[in-house]
Amino acid sequence: MARYVLKFGGTSVANVTRLQHVAHIIKKQADAGHELVVVVSAMAGITNKLVEYAHSLCPDKLTNEHDVVLSSGEQITSGLLALALSQLGFQSRSYLAWQIPIQTDDTPSQGRISNISTARLEECLRHKRIPVVAGFQGVNSEGRLTTLGRGGSDTTAVALAAALNADRCDIYTDVDGVYNADPRLVANARKLSRITYDEMFEMAAQGAKVLQARSVELAMKHGVKLRVLSSFVETPGTDIVKERENVESTLVSGIAHSQNDVRITIKNIPNHAQSVATIFSHLAENAIPIDMIVQTSVVHDHVDLTFTLLHSNLERAQHVLKEVQKIIPYSQLDIDTDIVKISIIGVGIRSDLNSLQLLFQTLAIHNISVQLMTTSEIKLCVIIDKHHTDVALNALHQAYELEKVAA
Amino acid sequence: MARYVLKFGGTSVANVTRLQHVAHIIKKQADAGHELVVVVSAMAGITNKLVEYAHSLCPDKLTNEHDVVLSSGEQITSGLLALALSQLGFQSRSYLAWQIPIQTDDTPSQGRISNISTARLEECLRHKRIPVVAGFQGVNSEGRLTTLGRGGSDTTAVALAAALNADRCDIYTDVDGVYNADPRLVANARKLSRITYDEMFEMAAQGAKVLQARSVELAMKHGVKLRVLSSFVETPGTDIVKERENVESTLVSGIAHSQNDVRITIKNIPNHAQSVATIFSHLAENAIPIDMIVQTSVVHDHVDLTFTLLHSNLERAQHVLKEVQKIIPYSQLDIDTDIVKISIIGVGIRSDLNSLQLLFQTLAIHNISVQLMTTSEIKLCVIIDKHHTDVALNALHQAYELEKVAA
C-alpha cells in the first residue's frame, strides 16, 4: 500500500462527465489499496470568469476580496468530486483550506504556504475516507481567505504530499507528459519519460504550462516525487526526478516559450542612485513581479531601463509607473506586447559556450534579432518578435537535436 | 444614526452593473450616517447552475457536499460587493458564515441557525467599516458548511438584524413591495403599504416569492422590523408590522399561489397502524417536507393517501417511495404535476364562514373543481388544475374585493 496525492487540473474536471471520469481514475487507485488524497482545481473557465467580474469592479489592485471571489471555484469542484466519489460507493468528503487549515502569509493573490496541519486529513485517511481538497486556496493569520497564484493547485498538491509524507504526487492534466518543446508548435517535439527538478523548474518558469514553477521548487526542496500524466488518455507520463541517469548524453533537455510577457522600457531616468530602486520597490509593493531586467545607455547622467513582466499585470504596472513618474521624472514609457520569450533549458548550459553560440547562430540564419537576453546556470533566455515564434522554435529544436532525445 | 441590515437578492446583484448600483444604494444610507450590515444572495442564475451540477452527480439525496458547492455563490457576491464599495471609498470587507460564525444545526440544505456571534461584526462597525455578509450559509458543529434552504439569505438578514439589535431589516428585491396577489397575473393587484407578520408569513409560505417564510417567522419571533423594497426603482415599499391599524376593515389581505407543488396519491395502503407513519418517516429522514395531507377511502382495511410536496423534491420522493413499497406493499403511485395551490390569506379567516363559502362559490361559477383543501387560522388553501390559475386568481381577487384595499 502506498500513499499518493492525486491532483486534477481545470480541464480534467471541466464538466460533470469529466468529473465522473476522474472519479473512476481515483477508484482504480483506491481499489488497488492505496491511500489517496485528492486535490482539485476550479472547473476550466470558472476562474477566468471570476477574475473578469472582480477586475471590472476593481481594476487597479488585488485585495483579499479577489481571493474570496476566486477561491470559490475550487470549493465548487471539491464538493462535486466528493459527491461523484460517494456515488461510486466511497466515503469521501471535501476539505476547504480553512478546514484543514492550510495557512499562508498575508499577500493577496500570491499567498505562500506557511504551515499545513495534517491531523484532520490523517484522521480522514484512518477512517478509509478519501479527502478531496480544494486547491489554490489558503487562510491567513487573520482567518481571511488567500489564493496561491495562478496554477496554485499544483503547489497545494505538492505541499500536501510533503506534509503527509506521500510516496508520490501525481499531477493529472490535459497533456500526457512533459515535452522538450510545445508539441502544438514543434512537429518533432518528444515526450520525456523523465526530467530533473531543475530542468522542470526552468521549463515551468519559462512558459511550459504543464506545472506551476513554484510547485516544482517545493517538490525539489522536500524531495517529493512528481509525475505528470493525462486524465484523458492512459499513457505513462513523465517522472520528475532528482538526477538524470545519464546527464552528459543530452545537455539541452528542452525548449520553453511564453507569449504572456510584455517588454517595458523606461527612458531617461535621472541617474540618482535611488531612482531605479524606487521604481522596482513601487512595483514590488503592488505585487507586480518583473522578470528580465537590462539597464542601458547612460547618457548625461540618465539611464534607460528595460524589463519584462506578465501581460496580466500590465494595466496595474502602467498605473504604478505613472504614479512613480511624479517622483522620478523619466521622459518616456515604451511598451511592446508583440514579444515571445524563448528559453533553452539544460543542466550546466551556461558553462557550455557551444550552446550559446548555437542559439545566436540559429536565430541569425533566420534573420531573427534578439531584443533582450539573460542566462542562468540552467537556461538561456531570449526575447524576440512574437511573429517569429514558430520558425524560432522549430529551428532551435533541430539545431539542438532534440528530436533525437531518447524518451 | 440608526443601524440597518440591508439584504440584496439575486436579481439585485445579477451582474457587475447591478452590483455597482447596489453599492450606490448603500452609499446613500452610509452617507446619511447610518450603521450598515449588508447581506447578499448569489448572483441570479448561479445557484441554479450549481444545483444542476450537484444534482447530475448525485440525484437521490442532499448532503453536506451540496452545501459546499451551493454556498460558493454567495461567497462570490460578498467579495465582489465589498470590492465595489471599496471603489466608492468605503472601508468594506466580506464575511463568510464560518468567519463570523453563523452556527447552524447539522441538517444539510435546510440548516437552521442556532447561534450568531456578533463580536467580529460589532468590531467591524466600530471601525466604520461596512461588512458584506454572504447570505444563505452557515457552519455546523463539526465546522462543515451548511445552507439555509432556498431563499435562505432572507433568514440570514433577519437573524443578523435580531442578533445585532438593528433598527430595521430592509429586503431589496426586484419587485417594489408586497402585493395582495401576483401583479403579473392579476391586473387589479394592489401594493400594500403594510401587512402583518402573520399574513406575510402565510403569503410567503403559500408561494409569494418576495420573502422566505422562515425569515418572516424569525422576524415575528424577535420583533425585527422588516421592509420590502426594490433595488431597481425608488418607491416606498411595504412594511411588515405587528398589527394592522384597522384590522377589521379588510379580512382578506391577499391571495398567494404556487405552481411549485406536485400531488402524490398512494393507493391501497394496507391499513396497519404503522403504515402511514412509516411512509412519512421515510420521507422525513430524507429531508423531503410534505405539505397538504388527506387520507381517504378506507376500503377493506386499505387506505389511499394524498399529499403535496415541492416539485424539486419529486425525483427523490419517488426514489424513497419505491423503496418504501418493499416494506409497505401499496398498489399504485399517482403523480399529478399539473396543479396550482391557491391560498386566501387573512387574520381570523377560518372563523369567518362567508370567506369559505365565497371561495367555493367563486370557483364553482367558473367550473373549477377543488382537488384538495386545507385551512388554518389564517388561510384557506386549495389545489386546482394548473390551467385554471389565471381565471381563479382574477375571479377570487374580485370576489374578495381586493382591488378596494387601501394601500
Side-chain angles (χ1 to χ4, degrees):
Chain A
M1 188 190 78
R3 176 179 282 190
Y4 297 133
V5 172
L6 312 180
K7 183 259 168 179
F8 296 91
T11 50
S12 298
V13 294
N15 54 47
V16 165
T17 313
R18 295 304 317 159
L19 277 162
Q20 287 168 326
H21 181 71
V22 161
H24 278 97
I25 292 177
I26 296 167
K27 177 177 162 53
K28 215 169 160 181
Q29 299 276 1
D31 287 347
H34 300 306
E35 276 189 337
L36 305 175
V37 174
V38 179
V39 176
V40 287
S41 298
M43 296 162 89
I46 285 191
T47 304
N48 286 340
K49 186 77 199 158
L50 296 174
V51 167
E52 189 190 312
Y53 283 145
H55 182 78
S56 33
L57 284 167
C58 175
D60 52 346
K61 57 175 188 277
L62 294 170
T63 71
N64 284 119
E65 303 305 343
H66 289 78
D67 293 348
V68 170
V69 174
L70 263 63
S71 61
S72 59
E74 281 70 18
Q75 174 171 332
I76 294 169
T77 321
S78 66
L80 291 177
L81 185 55
L83 280 180
L85 285 168
S86 304
Q87 290 301 104
L88 293 184
F90 293 101
Q91 297 255 24
S92 176
R93 69 154 277 196
S94 63
Y95 281 88
L96 307 174
W98 60 271
Q99 292 173 324
I100 296 177
I102 296 175
Q103 299 219 282
T104 70
D105 61 16
D106 295 344
T107 325
S109 300
Q110 292 287 339
R112 295 188 83 92
I113 295 175
S114 54
N115 189 49
I116 295 182
S117 310
T118 55
R120 289 188 187 153
L121 291 176
E122 289 285 3
E123 197 198 332
C124 184
L125 292 172
R126 236 183 347 264
H127 287 90
K128 307 284 173 210
R129 295 192 186 120
I130 304 176
V132 181
V133 179
F136 180 58
Q137 53 179 247
V139 62
N140 70 15
S141 57
E142 289 173 19
R144 300 219 62 186
L145 294 178
T146 53
T147 58
L148 310 180
R150 218 59 203 269
S153 293
D154 290 340
T155 300
T156 303
V158 171
L160 279 171
L164 292 163
N165 289 312
D167 296 286
R168 201 176 62 223
C169 179
D170 288 353
I171 308 284
Y172 283 87
T173 173
D174 53 0
V175 294
D176 62 348
V178 180
Y179 283 73
N180 60 16
D182 189 332
R184 287 166 303 185
L185 298 181
V186 178
N188 289 322
R190 293 290 176 90
K191 188 168 83 176
L192 305 167
S193 61
R194 33 185 56 216
I195 183 172
T196 68
Y197 288 124
D198 292 319
E199 291 164 340
M200 187 67 233
F201 175 71
E202 289 296 350
M203 289 288 279
Q206 301 316 319
K209 291 183 191 75
V210 70
L211 270 178
Q212 191 202 30
R214 257 170 64 200
S215 68
V216 181
E217 199 181 0
L218 202 63
M220 179 159 41
K221 193 173 153 193
H222 295 284
V224 173
K225 283 185 191 161
L226 272 180
R227 175 172 291 179
V228 173
L229 65 178
S230 168
S231 73
F232 291 76
V233 289
E234 264 191 83
T235 51
T238 300
D239 282 331
I240 292 107
V241 295
K242 212 166 162 188
E243 286 169 355
R244 266 191 286 156
E245 276 114 40
N246 196 353
V247 78
E248 294 303 317
S249 67
T250 50
L251 182 66
V252 169
S253 62
I255 302 177
H257 75 284
S258 162
Q259 299 189 331
N260 299 328
D261 301 75
V262 293
R263 197 193 61 197
I264 292 184
T265 302
I266 305 178
K267 291 200 168 152
N268 281 310
I269 302 169
N271 190 16
H272 300 123
Q274 283 301 318
S275 295
V276 173
T278 303
I279 291 171
F280 288 145
S281 68
H282 273 78
L283 290 168
E285 273 162 27
N286 287 276
I288 302 169
I290 48 176
D291 185 19
M292 302 168 73
I293 307 166
V294 180
Q295 187 178 311
T296 49
S297 66
V298 184
V299 180
H300 302 308
D301 203 29
H302 279 60
V303 292
D304 290 358
L305 185 66
T306 299
F307 51 87
T308 62
L309 44 78
L310 286 178
H311 202 294
S312 55
N313 288 329
L314 177 59
E315 204 171 326
R316 293 193 299 122
Q318 282 180 284
H319 181 80
V320 170
L321 292 173
K322 218 168 176 180
E323 288 300 304
V324 170
Q325 196 173 22
K326 293 172 188 166
I327 319 164
I328 317 282
Y330 60 81
S331 72
Q332 198 180 328
L333 191 69
D334 285 347
I335 292 162
D336 186 356
T337 56
D338 284 330
I339 59 167
V340 61
K341 180 172 65 178
I342 294 183
S343 308
I344 313 292
I345 290 155
V347 171
I349 198 168
R350 186 154 68 177
S351 53
D352 178 56
L353 295 178
N354 290 332
S355 291
L356 188 62
Q357 191 193 349
L358 195 56
L359 171 62
F360 278 91
Q361 212 168 45
T362 308
L363 294 175
I365 290 170
H366 292 85
N367 285 319
I368 300 169
S369 59
V370 172
Q371 301 179 9
L372 213 60
M373 140 134 230
T374 58
T375 63
S376 76
E377 274 311 317
I378 197 175
K379 70 166 190 280
L380 310 175
C381 203
V382 293
I383 296 284
I384 62 171
D385 197 303
K386 192 182 271 180
H387 80 267
H388 294 309
T389 307
D390 266 34
V391 173
L393 283 180
N394 283 284
L396 290 168
H397 202 267
Q398 200 179 5
Y400 287 100
E401 300 186 326
L402 287 174
E403 76 277 13
K404 291 184 189 160
V405 170
Chain B
M1 187 190 77
R3 176 180 283 191
Y4 298 133
V5 171
L6 313 180
K7 183 257 167 181
F8 296 90
T11 49
S12 299
V13 294
N15 53 49
V16 165
T17 313
R18 295 302 318 159
L19 277 163
Q20 286 167 328
H21 181 70
V22 161
H24 277 97
I25 293 177
I26 297 167
K27 177 176 162 50
K28 215 169 160 182
Q29 299 277 359
D31 287 347
H34 301 306
E35 275 189 337
L36 304 175
V37 174
V38 179
V39 176
V40 287
S41 300
M43 297 163 89
I46 286 192
T47 305
N48 286 340
K49 187 77 200 159
L50 297 174
V51 167
E52 189 189 312
Y53 284 146
H55 182 78
S56 33
L57 284 167
C58 174
D60 53 347
K61 58 175 189 277
L62 295 170
T63 71
N64 283 121
E65 302 305 343
H66 289 79
D67 293 348
V68 170
V69 174
L70 262 63
S71 61
S72 59
E74 281 69 18
Q75 174 172 332
I76 293 169
T77 320
S78 65
L80 291 177
L81 185 54
L83 280 180
L85 285 168
S86 304
Q87 291 300 103
L88 293 184
F90 292 101
Q91 298 256 24
S92 176
R93 72 155 274 196
S94 62
Y95 281 88
L96 307 174
W98 61 270
Q99 292 173 325
I100 295 177
I102 297 175
Q103 299 218 284
T104 71
D105 61 15
D106 293 345
T107 326
S109 299
Q110 291 288 337
R112 294 186 83 91
I113 295 175
S114 54
N115 188 51
I116 295 182
S117 310
T118 56
R120 288 188 189 154
L121 291 176
E122 288 286 3
E123 196 197 332
C124 184
L125 292 172
R126 232 179 356 260
H127 287 90
K128 307 284 172 211
R129 294 190 187 122
I130 304 176
V132 181
V133 178
F136 180 59
Q137 55 179 244
V139 63
N140 71 15
S141 57
E142 289 173 17
R144 300 218 61 187
L145 294 178
T146 54
T147 59
L148 310 180
R150 216 62 202 269
S153 293
D154 292 339
T155 300
T156 304
V158 172
L160 279 172
L164 292 164
N165 290 312
D167 295 286
R168 202 177 60 224
C169 179
D170 289 351
I171 308 283
Y172 283 88
T173 172
D174 52 0
V175 295
D176 62 348
V178 180
Y179 283 72
N180 60 15
D182 189 332
R184 285 166 302 185
L185 298 181
V186 178
N188 289 321
R190 290 292 176 87
K191 187 169 84 177
L192 303 168
S193 62
R194 33 183 57 214
I195 184 171
T196 68
Y197 287 124
D198 293 317
E199 292 164 341
M200 187 66 234
F201 175 69
E202 289 295 350
M203 291 287 280
Q206 302 314 319
K209 292 185 192 72
V210 69
L211 269 178
Q212 190 203 32
R214 258 171 63 201
S215 69
V216 182
E217 200 182 359
L218 201 65
M220 179 159 41
K221 192 173 154 194
H222 295 283
V224 172
K225 283 186 191 160
L226 273 180
R227 177 171 288 178
V228 173
L229 65 177
S230 167
S231 72
F232 291 76
V233 289
E234 262 192 84
T235 52
T238 300
D239 282 332
I240 292 109
V241 295
K242 212 167 164 189
E243 289 168 354
R244 265 190 286 155
E245 276 112 42
N246 195 354
V247 79
E248 294 303 316
S249 68
T250 49
L251 183 67
V252 169
S253 63
I255 302 177
H257 75 285
S258 161
Q259 299 188 330
N260 298 329
D261 302 75
V262 293
R263 197 193 61 199
I264 291 184
T265 302
I266 305 178
K267 290 200 168 153
N268 282 309
I269 303 169
N271 190 15
H272 299 120
Q274 284 300 320
S275 294
V276 173
T278 304
I279 291 171
F280 288 146
S281 67
H282 273 80
L283 290 168
E285 274 163 23
N286 287 276
I288 301 170
I290 49 177
D291 187 17
M292 303 168 76
I293 306 167
V294 180
Q295 185 178 313
T296 48
S297 64
V298 182
V299 179
H300 303 305
D301 203 31
H302 280 62
V303 293
D304 290 1
L305 186 67
T306 300
F307 52 86
T308 62
L309 45 76
L310 286 178
H311 202 296
S312 55
N313 288 328
L314 177 59
E315 203 171 329
R316 292 192 299 123
Q318 283 180 284
H319 181 79
V320 170
L321 293 172
K322 221 169 175 177
E323 290 298 305
V324 169
Q325 199 173 19
K326 294 172 189 165
I327 319 165
I328 319 279
Y330 59 81
S331 71
Q332 199 180 326
L333 192 70
D334 285 348
I335 291 161
D336 186 358
T337 56
D338 282 332
I339 60 166
V340 62
K341 181 171 65 176
I342 293 185
S343 307
I344 314 292
I345 289 155
V347 172
I349 199 168
R350 187 154 67 174
S351 53
D352 178 55
L353 295 177
N354 291 330
S355 292
L356 188 62
Q357 192 194 346
L358 194 58
L359 172 60
F360 279 90
Q361 215 169 44
T362 308
L363 294 175
I365 291 169
H366 291 86
N367 285 320
I368 299 169
S369 58
V370 172
Q371 300 179 8
L372 212 62
M373 137 129 232
T374 58
T375 64
S376 77
E377 274 311 316
I378 197 175
K379 70 162 191 282
L380 310 174
C381 204
V382 292
I383 295 285
I384 62 171
D385 195 303
K386 193 182 267 179
H387 80 264
H388 294 311
T389 308
D390 265 33
V391 173
L393 283 180
N394 282 283
L396 291 167
H397 201 265
Q398 199 178 6
Y400 286 100
E401 299 185 326
L402 288 174
E403 76 278 15
K404 290 183 187 161
V405 171

